[in-house]
Amino acid sequence: MRNIKPKYLVNEDGRKTAAVLSMKDYRSLMQRLEDLEDALELDEAVETATGFREYTDIRAELQKEGIL
């Protein structure tokens, strides 16, 4: 992962209250988050699936129906 360098906003007591990121860093974090969410959804789909079909079987069926 990239080296993200946030800047911090602090209150009167010197405690960090917010972080400011460059748009490049923000987009990078958002993309990483989306990728992780996709991976979690895939894991869940695999765990809850009741059956799988081979890709070649699906492709042959779609070709037969004129979809491909």
Side-chain angles (χ1 to χ4, degrees):
M1 193 159 103
R2 2 178 332 116
N3 184 18
I4 295 175
K5 298 178 182 167
K7 292 179 174 51
Y8 298 100
L9 301 178
V10 296
N11 63 14
E12 308 81 38
D13 299 326
R15 298 179 73 170
K16 294 176 184 175
T17 59
V20 179
L21 303 174
S22 69
M23 286 306 296
K24 186 176 183 178
D25 288 344
Y26 172 77
R27 287 186 190 106
S28 175
L29 283 174
M30 293 305 294
Q31 184 62 52
R32 178 83 170 144
L33 179 60
E34 289 174 14
D35 292 346
L36 290 171
E37 288 174 338
D38 291 345
L40 289 173
E41 287 177 7
L42 178 59
D43 287 346
E44 182 179 349
V46 168
E47 289 175 9
T48 60
T50 57
F52 290 97
R53 294 173 47 199
E54 291 292 327
Y55 170 76
T56 53
D57 295 340
I58 295 169
R59 184 170 175 82
E61 182 180 320
L62 292 174
Q63 286 176 335
K64 184 178 177 181
E65 295 174 10
I67 296 173
L68 288 180

